[in-house]
Amino acid sequence: MSAPDALLAAVPRTASSGIRALARLGFAAIGVVYVLMGVLALLAAFGQRAGAHADKEEAVQHLQDLPAGSVLLGLIALGLLGYIAWRFTQAIRDTESKGSGAKGLAVRLWYVCSGLFYSGLALYAGKLALNGRAEKGGDSSQSLTAKVLAWPGGDWLLIVLGLVVIGIGLFQGYRAFSGRLKNDVDGQHLTAKQARLVFRAGQVGVTARGVVVAIIGYFVVQAGRQSHAGAVGSTDEAFDLLAAMGPLALGAVAAGLLAYGLYSLVQAKYPLLRGV
């Protein structure tokens, strides 16, 4: 097969196949980002690099130094946009059959929020790919927090929002050990031993991700309690807090995020994509 024919063969033939391709690319992009985050944080835990900074933006920055780094960054940006598209598809087309009741609409809204969670990183990776530089989003979260604090009752709103974020983090731990992860990966292509290994990696990874989310929620609560935008923090500050607890705490969460990245890569290869 010639190169043009191979490229044409790779082009999705239907809308559904296009959505499936975008979703799989999205899982792969998320997997790469979390693997890099986990590796950077593990290096910090073992004293191999200064600081514990290992947020998503720094993780994608390291792709710049690799051969064809701009191409890799472009693929990460495209993949994250693909993940956002898949999450919106889940919400709009109700691919998971959640229905239009209050609970179903809440879950479908969660799909939208889950997709939008990566929108800033997709923009950041895209800017790096095109321009070779981009501003990190840490200051923007503090600016947004300052605006909320200026509203009447803004401090209470931040406290409530922080508690919701903490709840989301705790829910990740519930999700990890409730058996729901078995609905994420198509295990029919795996042996029983491989399926167990993938499931355990997912449990460890999702739990570690929940810990980081809960810490970020704690920062939001503190920003509301103190009426101080500088108290808010992102993944970067969450790793700093874990580092302050000691290398064991940081290393455990870092290993978990690495496991989550590997789990996402397996999900990219063997996804369960319903309704498309």
Side-chain angles (χ1 to χ4, degrees), residues 60-227:
V60 299
Q61 277 182 357
H62 279 71
L63 295 174
Q64 281 184 303
D65 301 326
L66 299 177
S70 294
V71 175
L72 292 173
L73 285 167
L75 289 173
I76 292 294
L78 178 61
L80 294 174
L81 290 174
Y83 180 80
I84 294 170
W86 165 241
R87 283 305 208 182
F88 271 71
T89 299
Q90 284 183 299
I92 296 171
R93 293 177 54 176
D94 193 17
T95 60
E96 304 294 322
S97 300
K98 298 299 181 181
S100 299
K103 184 178 179 180
L105 289 175
V107 174
R108 291 164 70 178
L109 177 60
W110 162 250
Y111 293 149
V112 173
C113 295
S114 176
L116 291 177
F117 177 76
Y118 290 98
S119 59
L121 184 61
L123 181 61
Y124 182 78
K127 286 182 177 179
L128 280 180
L130 294 174
N131 305 323
R133 63 183 183 84
E135 295 183 1
K136 294 187 70 173
D139 292 338
S140 63
S141 62
Q142 293 188 6
S143 299
L144 179 60
T145 303
K147 291 179 181 178
V148 174
L149 285 172
W151 298 348
D155 50 352
W156 284 104
L157 180 59
L158 284 176
I159 291 173
V160 172
L161 177 60
L163 291 174
V164 170
V165 174
I166 291 173
I168 291 172
L170 295 176
F171 177 75
Q172 296 302 305
Y174 165 76
R175 181 171 174 266
F177 292 93
S178 65
R180 298 190 179 195
L181 296 183
K182 293 180 180 179
N183 297 324
D184 290 347
V185 175
D186 188 354
Q188 65 178 339
H189 301 291
L190 304 172
T191 66
K193 184 176 181 180
Q194 289 172 333
R196 285 195 300 270
L197 181 60
V198 168
F199 182 61
R200 296 306 178 201
Q203 286 182 311
V204 172
V206 172
T207 300
R209 189 166 174 254
V211 168
V212 174
V213 170
I215 292 174
I216 293 172
Y218 166 77
F219 290 146
V220 177
V221 170
Q222 292 305 307
R225 287 184 66 248
Q226 301 171 20
S227 295

